Amino acid sequence: MERLAVITATAVGVFFTLLLVSIFFSLNWGNLLNHLLSEEVIYSVKLSLVTSLISTAVVVPLSVLTAYALARFNFPLKRFLKVVLDLPMFFPELLIGLLLLLSVGKIKGIVFTPYAVVLAQICVSLPFAVKVLYTAFSQVDYRLESVARSLGYRPAETFFKVTLPLAKVGLLSAVVVVFARSFGAFGAVLVFAGGVYMKTETLPVGIFLNISYGNLERATVMGLILMLVSLLCLILFETFAGKWNRG
């Protein structure tokens, strides 16, 4: 069994390694700089970065309060709320985009604009952030909060001075997850914000558009940027997750 498991793990690892390195062999290195400095690529990177940062700034406080409520308090429809927040993690992004289109698509000035990009990213990343933070808050010993309250701390002081610092690794992990999910969001963004060239063209959407145009070279360059950003997020997440586990 041990040999079979090791062989399987090695084969899977080799396969995915080949997938990852294939992009480096497909790049036209002589024309790489021209693509990187092209107006389209620069616009896509800026839009992805700005919208992801905005989405992260919105999602993190929302998910902190939501996760804390689910982890610490009993209230009506709590179980229902947990199901509602967990379910979108198992949805295809295209379905999330469709639901956004059906629910808020009639509001003028949102659909097929950068605002729609942000809203789609928020809906994609929020459930994951709540899940990470719910786990983090659940691991904080409630007795420490009780001691703080007995020493005269008000609920808000207890949360900010005791609970949140003890859950800081989970919080940092959630920030990375939210940014990564937002930066790489595709299906929901494509359906709700549209694949509008140089308007709602994030990096994932730009890859799709360029493949559709037959410009595989530029799509590959965009894919490389997306891969490097994802790698950075993975390194950060594993760093925080490692500290979390050791804690």
Side-chain angles (χ1 to χ4, degrees):
M1 185 64 189
E2 179 182 351
R3 180 177 297 180
L4 177 61
V6 171
I7 291 174
T8 302
T10 303
V12 171
V14 169
F15 175 73
F16 278 94
T17 299
L18 291 174
L19 285 181
L20 293 173
V21 300
S22 65
I23 195 169
F24 296 99
F25 293 102
S26 302
L27 283 170
N28 182 349
W29 294 96
N31 204 29
L32 176 62
L33 188 60
N34 290 333
H35 283 296
L36 289 175
L37 297 179
S38 67
E39 188 178 4
E40 180 185 10
V41 172
I42 292 175
Y43 180 87
S44 297
V45 172
K46 284 184 177 179
L47 181 63
S48 295
L49 184 61
V50 170
T51 55
S52 297
L53 289 173
I54 294 173
S55 298
T56 302
V58 173
V59 167
V60 170
L62 290 177
S63 57
V64 165
L65 294 174
T66 302
Y68 185 65
L70 292 173
R72 282 289 184 265
F73 309 120
N74 290 316
F75 52 91
L77 300 178
K78 175 180 175 179
R79 291 186 178 180
F80 174 76
L81 181 58
K82 289 182 67 176
V83 172
V84 169
L85 289 172
D86 285 344
L87 194 57
M89 292 191 293
F90 298 90
F91 283 169
E93 279 195 28
L94 289 172
L95 177 55
I96 295 177
L98 175 62
L99 295 175
L100 281 170
L101 198 60
L102 294 174
S103 58
V104 296
K106 295 180 181 180
I107 301 177
K108 294 182 179 180
I110 294 182
V111 182
F112 307 133
T113 67
Y115 300 108
V117 174
V118 173
L119 186 54
Q121 291 174 345
I122 289 173
C123 291
V124 167
S125 60
L126 181 59
F128 289 90
V130 171
K131 195 69 173 181
V132 172
L133 286 164
Y134 175 81
T135 303
F137 288 134
S138 297
Q139 292 180 350
V140 174
D141 192 342
Y142 182 71
R143 290 173 297 180
L144 298 175
E145 297 178 350
S146 299
V147 171
R149 293 296 304 277
S150 68
L151 293 174
Y153 277 37
R154 289 174 294 181
E157 288 179 311
T158 301
F159 176 74
F160 284 108
K161 294 183 179 181
V162 178
T163 309
L164 203 57
L166 290 173
K168 64 180 179 181
V169 177
L171 176 60
L172 293 173
S173 298
V175 171
V176 175
V177 168
V178 171
F179 181 82
R181 291 290 303 176
S182 299
F183 201 87
F186 169 66
V189 173
L190 183 65
V191 173
F192 187 54
V196 185
Y197 176 78
M198 296 283 288
K199 185 177 181 182
T200 61
E201 187 182 358
T202 60
L203 272 174
V205 172
I207 293 173
F208 171 77
L209 291 178
N210 278 281
I211 291 175
S212 302
Y213 303 152
N215 192 351
L216 192 60
E217 189 174 320
R218 177 158 294 179
T220 304
V221 173
M222 288 180 162
L224 177 63
I225 298 172
L226 193 58
M227 184 185 295
L228 293 176
V229 172
S230 300
L231 177 61
L232 177 60
C233 290
L234 175 62
I235 291 173
L236 291 172
F237 179 78
E238 290 295 331
T239 300
F240 296 138
K243 292 181 179 180
W244 193 358
N245 291 330
R246 286 194 298 271

